[in-house]
Amino acid sequence: MSSITTPKVNQGDSKHLYTVIVLGASGDLAKKKTFPALFGLYKNKYLDQNTRIIGYARTKMDQSTFEGHVSKYIKLKTEADKTALQQFLKLCSYQDGQYNQDKDFQNLEKHIVEVEKISGSTERLFYMALPPSVFIPVATSLKRNNYHNVETDGILTRLIVEKPFGMDLESSRKLGRELGALFNEDEIYRIDHYLGKEMVKNLMILRFANVIFGSVWNRQSIDNVQITFKEKIGTEGRGGYFDEFGIIRDVMQNHLLQILSLVAMEPPVSLSAEDVRDEKVKVLRFIPPIVKEDILLGQYGKSEDGKEPGYLDDKTVPHGSKTPTYAAATLFIHNDRWSGVPFMLKCGKALDQQKTEIRIQFKDVPGNLFTGLSRNEIVIRVQPDEAVYVKMMNKEPGLGMKTIISDLDLSYSSRFNDSVIPEAYESLILDALNGDHSNFVRNDELDAAWKIFTPILKTIDQGEIDPIPYAYGSRGPKGVGEFVAKHGYTRGEQAYVWPLHSEAGKDATGKDQQVKNKAN
């Protein structure tokens, strides 16, 4: 057991005083996301200065090794950051143990109690940065050895669970039943980190605080909606793990469907967590299961220059695997607001660029007063370079009446250049500390989501749909353009001038930013 450093107590600090226990502390998720997020909250004074952080995992580590593990992916930009990290590490300690041994969790309990005597904490947050195979064994051990009821013991207990939440409807329900038998729903925080991203959290503000958007957010004005996730990297040697899930379970069924629910939901009665989640569940229940005709699958091969390996070249991937690394699917919402409007979800690995965006395309202008017009679009760029812009038609400057595509551009890098956008995990961990469930997945919401995807996933798992090969670093498999066009998306043919973000019209390298492209 590691030694405990006694911090100076600040009696005036009114923040929640927690003991945060990171289970799976030796893993990639913990070192790349969880600990950097906790440090960000500490550095920016969102944690009580006496909050204590305990890592728990099977790996044996001394305190020095653990501190190196915690620090590895924490970015330090200033001397103040370096000082803050040293203070942060004094709040961290480590306990090794197995995930299915009561005696190890009893040792963990002794460690927690020792920490709580020093810090005065009466609130515990268990963060399960673990593979799903050990969710229930760990949760069971926690309930037997480390759980306290706030009403009888005066100690508040909360549990963060990472995705994936099952593999299909049946396994998700089984996981839900077993977890629900151990912890109350209001104690469980199912984390989908996309719900913590700045532009995803901004969706409700854009929709429900702006009358100019609210009046056109329906089937009378909108022709189609695309939600796109693109990654430049492949599986990077983790193909064996990825092959168990595929791109639909990894990205589409959770991240993209969460975004869809926020784009399409009705206004909630209030901003309370349950009112917001009620509306998300309601809209998902209006979506029927995806059919075979409304999905397109792909799997990446070698890059055209042969430098990047294909998915099947990964030695951890089963020979001849048909697991998709790219998927495009069209969903329909059978309610009054959205009937007939296709929502196209696209996601893939080893593509030409890294981005996540929402593209809402409006119907054609009736009357044909001007010819060759491109459609209006609202584009919400989730990452990178957060932005909202409205693509619209404008008169080209000069003596004529030629139309060009222009935009109303809100790029965060220029409009909010003094603001620091927090990492998604920072935002969500803070929500959990504050007891706010708004940006976490409720059990019935999970059930509704799996109902949409489980039938098509069974078809895919049985090998009935062959993925279309595409080159590493390309735009994706052939047929994607035709797939989205089939559901109404129209790519404009007019030149589009990307917006300028400086008075001189130059970027950081001095190059001219006014590059004309086909409408994107």
Side-chain angles (χ1 to χ4, degrees):
M1 186 180 296
S2 304
S3 60
I4 306 300
T5 304
T6 305
K8 182 180 179 181
V9 177
N10 176 6
Q11 299 295 341
D13 197 334
S14 60
K15 300 182 184 70
H16 291 287
L17 179 50
Y18 268 88
T19 305
V20 180
I21 302 95
V22 180
L23 301 142
S26 63
D28 274 1
L29 176 62
K31 71 180 178 182
K32 291 179 179 178
K33 298 295 183 182
T34 313
F35 288 122
L38 288 167
F39 172 70
L41 292 174
Y42 174 80
K43 181 183 73 172
N44 293 300
K45 304 187 187 308
Y46 285 104
L47 292 183
D48 183 288
Q49 68 170 6
N50 302 308
T51 294
R52 302 307 300 261
I53 298 163
I54 301 172
Y56 181 89
R58 291 175 292 203
T59 304
K60 291 188 179 297
M61 284 189 281
D62 59 22
Q63 183 66 17
S64 177
T65 304
F66 176 61
E67 289 180 5
H69 179 80
V70 167
S71 307
K72 188 172 183 179
Y73 287 90
I74 291 177
K75 297 176 182 178
L76 303 175
K77 299 179 181 179
T78 65
E79 287 300 319
D81 287 351
K82 294 179 182 178
T83 301
L85 177 59
Q86 294 308 309
Q87 295 170 341
F88 175 74
L89 292 175
K90 291 179 181 179
L91 305 179
C92 299
S93 56
Y94 183 73
Q95 178 80 38
D96 67 82
Q98 298 300 309
Y99 293 140
N100 58 355
Q101 298 292 327
D102 278 347
K103 65 179 180 61
D104 289 337
F105 280 88
Q106 288 161 9
N107 289 333
L108 174 63
E109 178 67 12
K110 293 176 184 176
H111 192 166
I112 296 172
V113 170
E114 182 183 353
V115 163
E116 289 173 337
K117 286 179 180 177
I118 296 170
S119 69
S121 170
T122 57
E123 301 182 30
R124 297 179 178 184
L125 178 66
F126 293 94
Y127 191 119
M128 293 176 64
L130 296 164
S133 58
V134 296
F135 280 176
I136 298 306
V138 170
T140 302
S141 296
L142 289 175
K143 185 61 182 287
R144 279 202 298 257
N145 303 290
N146 312 103
Y147 178 83
H148 293 271
N149 186 290
V150 67
E151 294 180 359
T152 58
D153 305 323
I155 296 177
L156 180 69
T157 302
R158 288 176 176 146
L159 181 74
I160 292 180
V161 183
E162 275 278 355
K163 77 171 188 70
F165 313 116
M167 295 283 288
D168 52 23
L169 181 61
E170 182 180 351
S171 60
S172 174
R173 283 178 170 174
K174 181 175 183 292
L175 178 62
R177 286 194 302 270
E178 293 177 345
L179 204 56
L182 299 167
F183 294 89
N184 298 326
E185 181 65 23
D186 62 355
E187 295 172 327
I188 301 170
Y189 293 76
R190 298 175 190 84
I191 193 169
D192 182 332
H193 73 272
Y194 258 66
L195 287 174
K197 290 190 176 292
E198 182 69 20
M199 298 309 296
V200 176
K201 296 186 85 168
N202 193 31
L203 277 170
M204 287 185 59
I205 303 290
L206 287 174
R207 286 199 55 195
F208 304 128
N210 295 291
V211 68
I212 58 171
F213 293 146
S215 59
V216 296
W217 214 269
N218 52 54
R219 61 186 170 87
Q220 284 75 34
S221 300
I222 292 174
D223 184 87
N224 62 81
V225 178
Q226 289 190 65
I227 303 173
T228 303
F229 170 98
K230 301 177 79 172
E231 272 191 328
K232 293 182 72 173
I233 61 172
T235 54
E236 306 293 311
R238 298 179 70 247
Y241 173 79
F242 178 86
D243 204 78
E244 296 179 46
F245 301 96
I247 196 68
I248 294 176
R249 291 184 177 96
D250 191 45
V251 176
M252 185 179 287
Q253 183 273 341
N254 40 73
H255 300 335
L256 300 194
L257 195 65
Q258 286 294 327
I259 294 174
L260 179 150
S261 67
L262 290 168
V263 170
M265 63 187 268
E266 295 298 315
V269 174
S270 75
L271 292 177
S272 74
E274 297 315 307
D275 286 340
V276 171
R277 298 200 293 182
D278 282 347
E279 294 303 331
K280 289 174 65 183
V281 173
K282 190 181 299 182
V283 76
L284 292 178
R285 286 176 174 167
F286 278 113
I287 303 175
I290 299 168
V291 297
K292 193 174 179 179
E293 293 73 24
D294 288 334
I295 197 163
L296 179 148
L297 304 178
Q299 186 185 89
Y300 71 86
K302 289 183 178 180
S303 58
E304 291 183 358
D305 60 11
K307 293 181 179 179
E308 299 292 345
Y311 178 70
L312 295 178
D313 295 325
D314 187 332
K315 294 180 180 179
T316 65
V317 173
H319 178 72
S321 170
K322 290 186 177 182
T323 296
T325 61
Y326 181 97
T330 303
L331 284 65
F332 293 91
I333 304 170
H334 294 323
N335 64 8
D336 183 61
R337 181 184 292 271
W338 296 113
S339 180
V341 177
F343 282 73
M344 291 170 269
L345 310 184
K346 299 184 297 177
C347 54
K349 303 181 79 67
L351 296 173
D352 59 329
Q353 60 179 305
Q354 179 99 9
K355 75 171 182 180
T356 303
E357 72 172 23
I358 305 158
R359 184 176 296 268
I360 299 163
Q361 189 173 79
F362 291 85
K363 294 181 180 294
D364 291 317
V365 175
N368 295 321
L369 186 61
F370 298 96
T371 58
L373 297 181
S374 295
R375 287 173 169 176
N376 297 146
E377 293 180 347
I378 298 174
V379 181
I380 302 166
R381 192 186 306 128
V382 177
Q383 67 176 21
D385 304 322
E386 293 86 349
V388 181
Y389 57 96
V390 181
K391 294 175 68 172
M392 53 184 282
M393 299 308 302
N394 192 30
K395 176 185 174 297
E396 185 175 62
L399 297 175
M401 290 292 286
K402 185 179 179 180
T403 59
I404 60 169
I405 304 173
S406 187
D407 56 34
L408 301 175
D409 174 50
L410 171 58
S411 292
Y412 275 43
S413 59
S414 56
R415 179 64 179 84
F416 304 112
N417 56 357
D418 292 330
S419 299
V420 177
I421 296 176
E423 293 293 329
Y425 277 94
E426 288 182 43
S427 177
L428 292 174
I429 291 174
L430 183 60
D431 284 345
L433 293 171
N434 290 330
D436 183 356
H437 277 89
S438 300
N439 296 303
F440 294 87
V441 183
R442 200 167 66 188
N443 199 37
D444 56 344
E445 182 181 351
L446 196 59
D447 204 71
W450 278 119
K451 284 180 180 178
I452 297 168
F453 282 93
T454 293
I456 196 66
L457 284 170
K458 287 185 177 179
T459 300
I460 294 168
D461 291 344
Q462 291 165 4
E464 295 181 19
I465 304 177
D466 292 325
I468 301 168
Y470 64 95
Y472 192 118
S474 68
R475 292 179 63 117
K478 290 182 179 179
V480 175
E482 292 80 3
F483 180 85
V484 296
K486 177 179 74 173
H487 292 292
Y489 175 69
T490 299
R491 184 179 293 275
E493 293 300 321
Q494 292 179 287
Y496 172 54
V497 180
W498 287 96
L500 296 174
H501 296 307
S502 64
E503 292 181 2
K506 305 289 182 180
D507 63 12
T509 63
K511 296 178 181 178
D512 191 346
Q513 287 181 300
Q514 278 193 318
V515 180
K516 291 188 176 182
N517 299 287
K518 292 290 184 182
N520 189 14

